[in-house]
């Protein structure tokens, strides 16, 4: 067959209606038939026109694509297709045979046709063949029949398309469905060029953008792929998909796709969250975006930008969606909710009709009254669960404030110019945390329980995380224990965050360097290992480097630990650690089980009460380039080792000029200032029981 001209394909696309709507294409539990029917109703109301049926975990869509539907399954699909027609929604049935099909086997092709013929008998007029997320290697039989994987896919797609009578809507999903998958580039991809040249012009091609989950989709990127595919693509948009990380939910607006894209596309379908009800925002804002493009707008702009009459503002679209969603929250989905109160068909569930409602006495607890959910609550909810590549404004502010409070915690209990600012910002942070708790409470009492149940795991998790951060800040300010103790042999179950998966991730050296909050330094690869004799010179180097940076060496009074660091006394071999990064040794944590040795060495008397309660002397230091987390982890490991050796407590001496170590000991939460006689001026003694 001769290759279709690019102008022919593009002209055909210009005469088609713009495809807009939802693709149920995620991995996980498919939506129910009732939810899909409700979706059709909403799509009609909001001006969308398409639903693509492609749930990855529907066995007969993907894994067992050869199997025909049973009579019961057929009845459900017939009802669903009829419901879509009733609401004016185009129902596209997708099948995904790429896991194990042999393209060159006529029986396989016949089986595929038979399956689609069955669905056509159900009343379906639009179809899609998907070859996404499969191995690109052909079997030996296909290698003999086709010159490339693209040729095999195009051949069977064209044949099925013709067999079905060249339906008005027929979608093809390539294996290389985003720019990141193209080798070496989109414009140089042999696979895409074959698809563009050989695929019949009436077939539309699905495309996710620069990546599987594209942060932004530019006009230039669409123009590039359109020239290769010889047609305008249909965007399969994963911006709200969460099937790759079920600890995340996306309730932010459809954004970073300028409305200038619309005339350059054949359509846009959003593949949203696995949970049905939270997709209200994703679908609603997509509808607003499509409508803005249809009205001739030019930009995707945020509120506050100096643009004349912006046609689509993500923030305005979000507010509109949340306002409408609030009405859904307030409606009840419980059985019998829509029955009139005076209905004779329903009897009240009461055992004693004469019993009056309970009224508490003046000295009794008042009845619990649920506060109604507000638009501010839903705005906060959206901010906390925003989009894959960004947090919402409130979430960003909370992270920034927590980071500032943590990094400036040394002034929290002091009396400096920054103390008042720290306490004020800590109070504001506490207020933001309280707002999350109150949002959780009001969501939990919302009448529509179906929405709540889809959200519940997520809002429980964020409430717990915020609670831990809240307690931590209070601990830094001296209003309670810190939330994370380095030594605790009997923790509560909820401290094991993330289960086994969480433990695996925390053990990996790169864990933490993919946070959306990028203000703190990116996590480096650190190694904590036992101290060995070869480390002696490196420890001395760090000790002298940090010491000389604070005050000239000659004017500093000696500390008890100086003799340990100068090598005059050796640390306990079981209680000595060093910290390494890619450059080399960058920190140490050493312990001397019997602090009397150090006192005798520097000829300084130490209170008997101190040595009785804190018999072990420790010394720790890190270079300025080391972040707090590995330093605290090293000290925590040292304390565990000292406790295992039988010591009942440890103490350390820190110069007031060493703000980094003072901050680290304070942040650990277990160290407290202790009184010691004969302390040098500007030196603080801190101890902790084990």
């Amino acid at each position: 067959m001769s290759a279709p001209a690019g102008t022919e394909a593009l002209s055909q696309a210009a005469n088609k209606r713009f495809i807009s709507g939802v693709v149920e294409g995620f991995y996980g539990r498919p939506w129910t038939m009732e939810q899909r029917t409700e979706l059709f109703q909403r799509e009609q109301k909001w001006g969308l026109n398409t639903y693509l049926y492609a749930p990855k975990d529907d066995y007969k869509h993907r894994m067992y694509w050869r199997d025909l539907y049973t009579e019961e399954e057929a009845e459900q699909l017939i009802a669903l297709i009829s419901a879509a027609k009733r609401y004016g929604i185009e129902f596209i049935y997708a099948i995904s045979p790429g896991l194990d099909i042999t393209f060159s086997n006529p029986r396989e092709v016949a089986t595929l046709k038979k399956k689609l013929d069955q669905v056509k008998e159900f009343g379906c007029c639009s179809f899609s063949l998907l070859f996404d997320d499969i191995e690109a290697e052909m079997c030996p039989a296909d290698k003999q029949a086709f010159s490339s994987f693209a040729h095999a896919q195009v051949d069977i797609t064209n044949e099925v398309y013709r067999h079905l009578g060249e339906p008005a809507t027929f979608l093809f999903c390539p294996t290389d469905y985003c720019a990141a998958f193209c080798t070496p580039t989109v414009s140089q991809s042999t696979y895409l060029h074959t698809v563009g040249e050989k695929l019949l012009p009436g077939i539309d091609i699905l495309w996710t953008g620069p990546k599987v989950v594209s942060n932004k989709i530019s006009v230039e990127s669409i123009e590039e792929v359109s020239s290769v595919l010889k047609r305008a693509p249909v965007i399969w948009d994963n911006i709200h998909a969460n099937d790759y990380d079920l600890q995340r939910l996306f309730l932010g607006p459809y954004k970073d796709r300028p409305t200038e894209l619309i005339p350059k596309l054949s359509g846009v379908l959003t593949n949203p969250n696995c949970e049905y009800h939270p997709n209200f925002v994703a679908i609603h804002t997509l509808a607003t975006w499509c409508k803005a493009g249809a009205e001739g707008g030019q930009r995707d702009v945020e509120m506050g930008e100096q643009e004349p009459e912006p046609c689509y503002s993500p923030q305005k679209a979000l507010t509109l969606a949340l306002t409408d969603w609030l009405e859904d929250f307030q409606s009840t989905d419980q059985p019998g909710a829509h029955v009139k109160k005076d209905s004779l068909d329903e009897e009240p569930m009461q055992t004693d009709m004469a019993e009056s409602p309970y009224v508490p006495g003046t000295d009794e607890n008042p009845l619990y009254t649920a506060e109604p959910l507000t638009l501010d609550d839903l705005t906060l909810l959206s901010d906390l669960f925003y989009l894959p590549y960004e947090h919402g404004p409130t979430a960003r502010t909370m992270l920034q404030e927590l980071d500032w409070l943590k990094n400036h915690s040394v002034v929290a209990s002091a009396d400096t110019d920054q103390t008042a600012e720290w306490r004020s910002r800590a109070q504001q942070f506490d207020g933001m945390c309280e707002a999350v708790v109150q949002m959780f409470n009001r969501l939990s009492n919302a009448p529509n329980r179906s929405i709540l149940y889809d959200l519940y795991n997520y809002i429980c998790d964020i409430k717990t995380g915020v609670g831990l951060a809240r307690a931590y800040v209070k601990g830094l300010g001296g209003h309670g224990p810190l939330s994370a103790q380095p030594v605790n042999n009997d923790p509560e179950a909820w401290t094991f965050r993330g289960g086994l998966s969480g433990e695996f991730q925390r053990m990996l050296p790169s864990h933490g360097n993919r946070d959306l909050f990028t203000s703190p330094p990116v996590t480096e690869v650190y190694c904590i290992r036992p101290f060995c004799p070869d480390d002696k010179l490196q420890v001395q180097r760090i000790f002298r480097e940090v010491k000389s940076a604070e005050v000239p060496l000659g004017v500093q009074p000696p500390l008890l630990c100086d003799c340990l660091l100068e090598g005059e006394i050796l640390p306990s071999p079981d209680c000595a650690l060093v910290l390494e990064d890619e450059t080399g040794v960058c920190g140490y944590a050493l312990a001397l089980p019997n602090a009397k040795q150090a006192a005798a060495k520097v000829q300084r008397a130490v209170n008997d009460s101190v040595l009785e309660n804190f018999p072990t002397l420790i010394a720790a230091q890190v270079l300025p380039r080391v972040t707090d987390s590995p330093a605290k982890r090293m000290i925590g490991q040292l304390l565990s080792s000292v406790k295992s050796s039988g010591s009942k407590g440890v103490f350390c001496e820190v110069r007031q000029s060493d703000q980094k170590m003072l901050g680290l000991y304070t942040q650990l939460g277990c160290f407290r200032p202790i009184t010691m006689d004969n302390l040098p001026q500007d030196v603080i003694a801190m101890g902790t029981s084990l």
Side-chain angles (χ1 to χ4, degrees):
M1 141 187 146
S2 61
T7 54
E8 180 186 353
L10 292 172
S11 64
Q12 286 193 17
N15 295 325
K16 291 183 178 180
R17 73 169 177 171
F18 186 81
I19 295 172
S20 63
V22 178
V23 49
E24 184 181 346
F26 49 81
Y27 291 87
R29 177 185 293 177
W31 296 334
T32 66
M33 293 298 178
E34 292 76 14
Q35 289 171 337
R36 291 164 180 157
T37 301
E38 182 182 73
L39 171 65
F40 301 156
Q41 186 177 6
R42 286 182 171 172
E43 285 192 283
Q44 181 194 52
K45 179 181 177 181
W46 297 338
L48 301 173
N49 58 38
T50 302
Y51 166 76
L52 174 57
Y53 178 88
K56 292 291 193 293
D57 287 328
D58 176 346
Y59 280 167
K60 294 186 178 180
H61 158 76
R62 185 173 174 87
M63 189 176 299
Y64 300 120
W65 61 269
R66 297 175 181 84
D67 294 355
L68 296 177
Y69 289 105
T70 65
E71 184 176 346
E72 181 182 355
E73 293 166 339
E75 289 177 358
Q76 287 189 318
L77 275 174
I78 290 170
L80 194 63
I81 293 167
S82 298
K85 290 179 179 178
R86 186 164 66 250
Y87 290 107
I89 302 302
E90 183 175 17
F91 184 100
I92 305 175
Y93 177 84
I95 192 166
S96 184
L99 287 175
D100 59 1
I101 190 171
T102 299
F103 293 92
S104 57
N105 188 332
R107 290 183 58 187
E108 291 277 78
V109 179
T111 299
L112 181 57
K113 291 177 181 178
K114 184 177 180 181
K115 177 67 169 286
L116 295 177
D117 283 339
Q118 183 193 31
V119 177
K120 188 175 182 180
E121 291 174 0
F122 298 161
C124 182
C125 302
S126 304
F127 299 90
S128 179
L129 272 183
L130 308 182
F131 295 104
D132 57 321
D133 301 343
I134 60 174
E135 294 295 330
E137 185 68 21
M138 290 191 292
C139 66
D142 286 343
K143 286 181 179 179
Q144 291 182 359
F146 300 104
S147 58
S148 73
F149 199 37
H151 283 88
Q153 293 178 358
V154 166
D155 185 83
I156 198 171
T157 302
N158 286 341
E159 184 170 346
V160 168
Y161 174 65
R162 291 194 186 100
H163 172 78
L164 293 171
E166 300 192 1
T169 300
F170 193 97
L171 307 180
F172 167 83
C173 184
T175 305
D176 294 355
Y177 55 78
C178 65
F181 289 175
C182 296
T183 305
T185 64
V186 170
S187 61
Q188 297 175 297
S189 167
T190 303
Y191 174 91
L192 283 190
H193 275 287
T194 300
V195 169
E197 292 167 2
K198 301 297 183 182
L199 201 66
L200 290 171
I203 301 174
D204 285 311
I205 300 176
L206 293 161
W207 183 253
T208 66
K211 298 192 290 185
V212 177
V213 181
S214 294
N215 185 14
K216 299 180 181 182
I217 300 178
S218 68
V219 171
E220 293 75 19
S221 70
I222 294 303
E223 290 176 339
E224 180 185 29
V225 73
S226 297
S227 67
V228 176
L229 298 178
K230 303 189 184 305
R231 71 204 75 198
V234 174
I235 295 297
W236 171 311
D237 208 325
N238 289 318
I239 190 63
H240 286 95
N242 72 334
D243 56 356
Y244 54 87
D245 186 351
L246 292 180
Q247 289 183 304
R248 303 176 71 188
L249 188 72
F250 302 117
L251 305 177
Y254 192 74
K255 68 189 295 282
D256 292 320
R257 285 100 170 104
T259 52
E260 287 178 311
L261 282 172
I262 292 177
K264 299 181 180 296
L265 296 171
S266 292
V268 176
L269 297 171
T270 180
N271 179 38
N273 299 283
C274 296
E275 298 81 2
Y276 168 73
H277 290 286
N279 289 318
F280 192 102
V281 172
I283 301 169
H284 194 292
T285 56
L286 171 64
T288 303
W289 182 85
C290 291
K291 182 179 179 182
E295 293 172 350
Q298 295 298 310
R299 296 288 302 279
D300 171 342
V301 297
E302 290 286 356
M303 291 176 65
E305 293 185 12
Q306 299 301 313
E307 295 288 339
E309 298 297 329
C311 67
Y312 179 76
S313 162
Q315 189 57 47
K316 287 182 179 178
L318 176 62
T319 301
L320 181 63
L322 294 177
T323 302
D324 287 352
W325 200 20
L326 183 61
E327 294 182 13
D328 262 27
F329 272 98
Q330 304 299 0
S331 65
T332 179
D333 60 349
Q334 301 306 303
H338 302 293
V339 178
K340 294 182 179 179
K341 291 182 180 179
D342 58 354
S343 172
L344 298 178
D345 296 328
E346 293 287 339
E347 291 293 334
M349 295 180 62
Q350 295 181 347
T351 57
D352 186 355
M353 295 297 293
E355 183 179 350
S356 59
Y358 172 73
V359 178
T362 56
D363 60 344
E364 296 179 329
N365 285 327
L367 291 177
Y368 178 79
T369 303
E371 295 184 5
L373 192 67
T374 68
L375 180 59
D376 286 342
D377 290 326
L378 293 189
T379 302
L380 175 58
L381 179 68
S382 174
D383 277 359
L384 300 178
F385 298 96
Y386 202 63
L387 289 172
Y389 295 98
E390 61 179 310
H391 298 302
T394 301
R396 290 198 302 269
T397 299
M398 293 182 74
L399 288 169
Q400 290 164 359
E401 287 302 295
L402 178 59
D403 184 57
W404 188 91
L405 291 166
K406 182 180 69 172
N407 291 334
H408 294 80
S409 60
V410 69
V411 306
S413 56
D415 188 13
T416 69
D417 294 340
Q418 280 192 310
T419 302
E421 180 187 3
W422 194 97
R423 292 174 180 171
S424 174
R425 293 176 72 161
Q427 186 175 7
Q428 292 174 8
F429 180 78
D430 190 76
M432 289 187 282
C433 294
E434 177 63 19
V436 175
V437 174
Q438 293 305 317
M439 174 207 69
F440 172 87
N441 292 339
R442 287 189 282 267
L443 274 171
S444 299
N445 292 313
N448 193 319
R449 312 308 284 173
S450 293
I451 304 178
L452 171 66
Y453 298 150
D454 273 359
L455 292 170
Y456 197 75
N457 288 344
Y458 298 101
I459 61 176
C460 274
D461 187 63
I462 193 62
K463 188 188 78 163
T464 302
V466 165
L468 292 171
R470 189 182 194 183
Y472 176 73
V473 170
K474 286 184 176 181
L476 292 179
H479 298 294
L482 289 177
S483 58
Q485 295 288 346
V487 180
N488 189 342
N489 291 328
D490 190 24
E492 289 282 3
W494 54 75
T495 62
F496 303 109
R497 305 297 294 167
L500 179 61
S501 174
E503 293 203 37
F504 276 127
Q505 293 177 57
R506 285 188 289 273
M507 290 178 69
L508 302 178
S510 62
H511 177 63
N513 69 351
R514 290 294 180 266
D515 292 335
L516 297 183
F517 178 58
T518 55
S519 178
V522 173
T523 303
E524 300 291 345
V525 178
Y526 292 99
C527 172
I528 301 173
R529 61 169 177 80
F531 169 88
C532 64
D534 291 343
D535 296 320
K536 180 179 178 181
L537 293 178
Q538 294 300 319
V539 167
Q540 291 177 353
R541 174 185 60 80
I542 295 171
F543 164 63
R544 291 167 181 166
E545 181 178 330
V546 174
K547 188 176 181 181
S548 63
E550 296 170 4
V551 185
L553 290 173
V555 299
Q556 290 183 328
L559 303 181
L560 291 178
C561 61
D562 286 2
C563 58
L564 183 65
L565 301 171
E566 293 286 7
E568 300 174 22
I569 299 178
L570 294 178
S572 168
D574 297 326
C575 301
L577 303 169
V578 293
L579 182 68
E580 278 186 317
D581 60 12
E582 295 177 353
T583 305
V585 175
C586 55
Y588 57 80
L590 312 176
L592 185 62
N594 185 0
K596 291 181 180 179
Q597 292 180 267
K601 195 71 176 177
V602 299
Q603 299 180 347
R604 193 203 315 161
V606 178
N607 315 45
D608 290 340
S609 60
V610 171
L611 295 175
E612 171 66 23
N613 294 314
F614 311 105
T616 300
L617 173 68
I618 67 169
Q621 188 58 263
V622 293
L623 291 175
R625 70 172 184 264
V626 178
T627 56
D628 289 355
S629 179
K632 289 187 289 186
R633 193 160 63 245
M634 175 179 66
I635 297 173
Q637 288 187 21
L638 179 70
L639 296 182
S640 297
S641 298
V642 173
K643 181 180 180 180
S644 299
S645 71
S647 177
K648 61 188 293 187
V650 305
F651 77 97
C652 61
E653 294 179 339
V654 186
R655 293 184 173 85
Q656 291 186 8
S657 57
D658 192 352
Q659 292 292 305
K660 187 174 184 69
M661 291 309 303
L662 277 175
L664 287 172
Y665 284 123
T666 302
Q667 290 173 38
L668 284 168
C670 54
F671 281 89
R672 295 288 183 266
I674 59 176
T675 302
M676 282 183 59
D677 296 336
N678 305 313
L679 264 182
Q681 188 177 5
D682 296 328
V683 173
I684 298 173
M686 305 179 76
T688 181
S689 300
L690 301 176

